[in-house]
């Protein structure tokens, strides 16, 4: 069948659904508290399932509570094209983080229904359990189990602060499904999400074509000098651990700028000892967070950090403990999925730029088992994980339009591949 | 009478007295805990008084417990030349801080006795109450009352953590004397002290001719930027408060080096908010401690700090609160007293250098009411206020020899002035 150039979504309906969902767990300051597998999460899931059933979808729930709402394709044996994200929130979260990707997916299905358009491959909307990791650590655990990063046993045994497991809580709210977790072929996965950063809004772009997800290296560094009286100790005889730490903060910033615009480099935490105003600091502990979409550059940043740290420490005469405590490889999203998103942008005419995700998403795990792409829309001032998180109806509609085009393109391509 | 070129002190006796005094309040790790106006302080005072009486001195105690042991001069109406320091210690203090200046003074008197040498003006040894300020804040309170910086009522009403006042405790241990505090003419005041810094030992000098006591300016600075996620926030869009603070630490160090060797510049305390490893710091509080013996240079350092702080803050786009919370003017010790110390160094042939005191001493207050000089001797590794505080018998003897010459010079000069 010919490509549907003039497909539309219903932006008003999408926004209304976002607002309706936001009532579940609404907080006084305009945000949402809907922690994973709570009664409120159940209410949100129930509402989503009801909407999907009204849209004619078949619901499947897997053993870790991931929900799949399926709209059949012309050839229902083809691997489905899946859209999705999560419905759980941070304790003081916003109305869009996760929810947007789920309800944009639902709006795609509703719009296909409105147009009586049948895609070649089936189309699904997925809700991934416990993406935020606020109630049960780690984050993205259920998409991780789906992708084979964690085993099911591990996922179900995650406990909250009260000692309740994900398995118990899934059963309690009625979302411990029968379907196996993962193990089936997915034609493509698309996740629409608010950017959670300031770039799109600042540059006046409506759509972020997400090409990569940053890799991360986290470090803990302790510099030890000589605690001494700030009065009688001459400048040239000092071993000031804070001076060393200050130079490392400047170095980390310099490395981030050098490998920009895609590099991020942050010293977020610092503890000074003894932290007394007239004592030269004898010991400083601090952390470094490096991110880059290119693993080779991340390795260069690592190299420069290590070299600079040695130089800073030996320049002042400090002892150093230096440890990389975490490494997470960068993810390059699938070329054909990124192209499908680009096609959607072209067809809809929205302004756009390529963008790299600085945060982790379910899409990162999905990319290990399926061709995957992501679509970002702007959020106001880049603020997220915050009750004041905000986007606009126009941005939300634009991202959903792009999602529709990308999904239809891929779903029909699955048919072309099969024929 | 002719100047006594070959005067000697008894270094063995001086060291023995230091060791005897160190038994009172001795700690297991080789230090001393003899807090002001405790039973142990009373024992130390009693031993000192006993030694002075054995040396033929007359004892006077003033209303705030300062002790004066007087050896008459040829003309006993002349203003006395006073030596002294303090016998109280830090909770985990050493054997020399304060005690050395008192017992070096006693050794000068004993040596004058040995030589049957009578100075023109009388010579006294003073013990100043509660110099450390560990039990009763502030430090140097009794020499401060003597110098008219505080009134007597204020001094006597200082309370310890148990609510006991200095007045009560003075009465309890029998050192609430009858003599008025201050108000009498002093010809000159000399205080011998361990350096409490590393300069003399590091440069192989035995005597520090103390020319000045540093002035101080203390600051509190808060930089406020924008708390943001370390992942999706590009380097060029950050307002990183810790980057600003790091630049200020480097600036403070640069200012210290620029106005060295006499300048000291320290950031001792820093608090980072929210202090989370993947959040760009939104707010950082830190302190600055500036010291210099020249008030004009201290003012220049202040100017440069303010200018740099403005530049750093505006360069990153940070808000700033900047407050100078404390100012203490530099003290220049009396020319003729410094010359008397230099004369002592020349006569004894000890290696020396001019030096500035980075810490406060009773001599700082005394300098407001009497021509004052100080003599420093090295302490091992510059360590003080610590049970491992250490000096050597040779250094202790050398400082005492210089003190003897300076005191005799000044006591005889008082006679010459009077005649």
């Amino acid at each position: 069948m010919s490509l549907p150039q003039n497909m539309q979504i219903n932006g008003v309906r999408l926004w209304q659904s976002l607002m309706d969902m936001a009532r579940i767990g609404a907080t006084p300051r305009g945000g949402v508290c809907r922690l994973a597998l709570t009664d409120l999460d159940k209410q949100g899931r129930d509402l989503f399932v009801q909407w999907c059933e009204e849209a004619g979808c078949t619901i499947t729930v897997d053993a870790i509570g991931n929900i799949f709402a399926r709209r059949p394709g012309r050839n229902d044996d083809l691997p489905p094209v899946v859209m999705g994200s999560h419905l759980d929130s941070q304790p003081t979260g916003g109305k869009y983080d996760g929810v947007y990707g789920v309800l944009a997916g639902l709006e795609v299905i509703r719009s296909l229904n409105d147009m009586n358009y049948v895609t070649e491959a089936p189309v699904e909307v997925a809700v991934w359990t416990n993406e935020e990791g606020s109630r049960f650590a780690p984050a993205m655990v259920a998409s991780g189990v789906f992708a084979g990063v964690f085993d099911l046993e591990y996922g179900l045994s995650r406990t909250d602060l009260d000692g309740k497991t994900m398995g118990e809580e899934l059963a309690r709210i009625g979302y411990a499904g029968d379907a196996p977790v993962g193990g089936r072929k997915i034609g493509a996965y698309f996740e629409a999400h608010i950017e959670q950063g300031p770039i799109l809004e600042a540059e006046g772009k409506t759509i972020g074509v997400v090409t990569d997800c940053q890799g991360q290296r986290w470090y803990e560094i302790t510099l030890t000098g000589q605690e001494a009286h700030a009065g009688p100790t001459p400048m040239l005889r000092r071993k000031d651990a804070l001076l060393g730490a200050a130079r490392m903060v400047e170095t980390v910033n310099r490395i981030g700028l050098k490998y920009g615009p895609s590099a991020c480099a942050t010293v977020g935490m610092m503890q000074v000892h003894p932290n007394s105003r007239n004592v030269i600091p004898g010991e400083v502990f601090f952390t470094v967070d490096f991110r880059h979409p290119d693993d080779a550059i991340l390795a260069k940043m690592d190299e420069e950090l290590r070299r600079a740290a040695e130089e800073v420490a030996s320049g002042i005469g400090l002892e150093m403990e230096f440890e990389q405590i975490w490494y997470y490889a960068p993810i390059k999203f699938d070329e054909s999925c990124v192209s499908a998103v680009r096609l959607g942008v072209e067809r809809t005419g929205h302004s756009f730029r390529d963008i790299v995700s600085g945060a982790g998403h379910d899409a990162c795990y999905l990319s290990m088992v399926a061709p995957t792409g992501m679509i970002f829309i702007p959020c106001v001032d880049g603020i997220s994980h915050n009750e004041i998180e905000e986007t606009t109806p126009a941005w939300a509609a634009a991202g959903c339009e792009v999602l529709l085009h990308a999904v239809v393109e891929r779903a029909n391509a699955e048919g072309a591949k099969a024929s």
Side-chain angles (χ1 to χ4, degrees), chain A residues 382-398:
Chain A
I383 294 169
S384 179
H385 286 195
N386 193 311
E387 290 168 88
I388 64 167
E389 177 182 283
E390 199 48 83
T391 187
T392 69
W395 289 336

Tab-separated table of all heavy atoms in Angstrom, chain A residues 382-398:
chain	number	residue	atom	x	y	z
A	382	GLY	N	14.581	22.683	30.607
A	382	GLY	CA	15.341	21.447	30.770
A	382	GLY	C	15.084	20.734	32.083
A	382	GLY	O	15.797	19.800	32.436
A	383	ILE	N	14.076	21.175	32.814
A	383	ILE	CA	13.850	20.641	34.163
A	383	ILE	C	13.026	19.357	34.119
A	383	ILE	O	11.996	19.289	33.453
A	383	ILE	CB	13.172	21.689	35.057
A	383	ILE	CG1	14.133	22.852	35.288
A	383	ILE	CG2	12.726	21.091	36.390
A	383	ILE	CD1	13.496	24.060	35.926
A	384	SER	N	13.487	18.348	34.849
A	384	SER	CA	12.803	17.064	34.928
A	384	SER	C	13.055	16.482	36.320
A	384	SER	O	13.794	17.051	37.100
A	384	SER	CB	13.355	16.138	33.846
A	384	SER	OG	12.742	14.882	33.909
A	385	HIS	N	12.426	15.336	36.612
A	385	HIS	CA	12.519	14.764	37.966
A	385	HIS	C	12.169	15.851	38.973
A	385	HIS	O	12.832	16.023	39.991
A	385	HIS	CB	13.912	14.203	38.261
A	385	HIS	CG	14.178	12.917	37.540
A	385	HIS	ND1	15.213	12.079	37.864
A	385	HIS	CD2	13.506	12.308	36.534
A	385	HIS	CE1	15.196	11.024	37.055
A	385	HIS	NE2	14.168	11.145	36.236
A	386	ASN	N	11.103	16.548	38.690
A	386	ASN	CA	10.741	17.720	39.476
A	386	ASN	C	9.264	17.971	39.225
A	386	ASN	O	8.777	17.796	38.105
A	386	ASN	CB	11.581	18.929	38.992
A	386	ASN	CG	11.516	20.091	39.945
A	386	ASN	OD1	10.438	20.502	40.374
A	386	ASN	ND2	12.671	20.623	40.286
A	387	GLU	N	8.533	18.388	40.266
A	387	GLU	CA	7.092	18.611	40.110
A	387	GLU	C	6.788	19.722	39.086
A	387	GLU	O	5.697	19.764	38.536
A	387	GLU	CB	6.467	18.969	41.462
A	387	GLU	CG	6.431	17.783	42.412
A	387	GLU	CD	6.098	18.201	43.837
A	387	GLU	OE1	4.915	18.265	44.180
A	387	GLU	OE2	7.063	18.475	44.590
A	388	ILE	N	7.757	20.612	38.859
A	388	ILE	CA	7.490	21.698	37.907
A	388	ILE	C	7.849	21.320	36.466
A	388	ILE	O	7.775	22.157	35.568
A	388	ILE	CB	8.208	23.017	38.308
A	388	ILE	CG1	9.731	22.833	38.262
A	388	ILE	CG2	7.768	23.499	39.683
A	388	ILE	CD1	10.489	24.163	38.328
A	389	GLU	N	8.241	20.059	36.251
A	389	GLU	CA	8.497	19.564	34.878
A	389	GLU	C	7.348	19.979	33.959
A	389	GLU	O	6.184	19.795	34.298
A	389	GLU	CB	8.601	18.037	34.974
A	389	GLU	CG	8.796	17.288	33.682
A	389	GLU	CD	8.822	15.775	33.980
A	389	GLU	OE1	9.851	15.279	34.464
A	389	GLU	OE2	7.787	15.097	33.759
A	390	GLU	N	7.669	20.545	32.795
A	390	GLU	CA	6.608	21.055	31.906
A	390	GLU	C	7.004	20.891	30.443
A	390	GLU	O	8.179	20.940	30.094
A	390	GLU	CB	6.342	22.548	32.239
A	390	GLU	CG	5.017	23.067	31.762
A	390	GLU	CD	3.852	22.140	32.138
A	390	GLU	OE1	3.355	22.219	33.273
A	390	GLU	OE2	3.463	21.334	31.269
A	391	THR	N	6.010	20.623	29.597
A	391	THR	CA	6.196	20.704	28.146
A	391	THR	C	4.953	21.414	27.598
A	391	THR	O	4.172	21.955	28.389
A	391	THR	CB	6.429	19.324	27.512
A	391	THR	OG1	6.761	19.490	26.128
A	391	THR	CG2	5.211	18.417	27.632
A	392	THR	N	4.761	21.468	26.269
A	392	THR	CA	3.581	22.170	25.746
A	392	THR	C	2.766	21.206	24.879
A	392	THR	O	3.313	20.221	24.360
A	392	THR	CB	3.982	23.373	24.864
A	392	THR	OG1	4.576	22.873	23.649
A	392	THR	CG2	4.949	24.290	25.583
A	393	PRO	N	1.452	21.478	24.730
A	393	PRO	CA	0.617	20.637	23.853
A	393	PRO	C	1.185	20.557	22.440
A	393	PRO	O	1.149	19.503	21.804
A	393	PRO	CB	-0.737	21.361	23.885
A	393	PRO	CG	-0.765	22.079	25.200
A	393	PRO	CD	0.661	22.502	25.433
A	394	ALA	N	1.749	21.665	21.951
A	394	ALA	CA	2.269	21.664	20.578
A	394	ALA	C	3.479	20.739	20.453
A	394	ALA	O	3.609	19.975	19.487
A	394	ALA	CB	2.648	23.087	20.161
A	395	TRP	N	4.380	20.818	21.418
A	395	TRP	CA	5.555	19.941	21.392
A	395	TRP	C	5.134	18.468	21.521
A	395	TRP	O	5.664	17.607	20.833
A	395	TRP	CB	6.522	20.299	22.536
A	395	TRP	CG	7.246	21.602	22.348
A	395	TRP	CD1	7.491	22.239	21.171
A	395	TRP	CD2	7.825	22.410	23.383
A	395	TRP	NE1	8.199	23.401	21.394
A	395	TRP	CE2	8.417	23.538	22.736
A	395	TRP	CE3	7.909	22.319	24.771
A	395	TRP	CZ2	9.080	24.535	23.458
A	395	TRP	CZ3	8.574	23.311	25.485
A	395	TRP	CH2	9.146	24.417	24.838
A	396	ALA	N	4.199	18.226	22.435
A	396	ALA	CA	3.743	16.847	22.648
A	396	ALA	C	3.128	16.287	21.361
A	396	ALA	O	3.392	15.146	20.965
A	396	ALA	CB	2.733	16.795	23.799
A	397	ALA	N	2.320	17.097	20.701
A	397	ALA	CA	1.674	16.657	19.457
A	397	ALA	C	2.714	16.421	18.366
A	397	ALA	O	2.637	15.431	17.617
A	397	ALA	CB	0.660	17.706	19.003
A	398	ALA	N	3.712	17.309	18.291
A	398	ALA	CA	4.733	17.188	17.245
A	398	ALA	C	5.493	15.867	17.380
A	398	ALA	O	5.707	15.142	16.404
A	398	ALA	CB	5.698	18.374	17.326
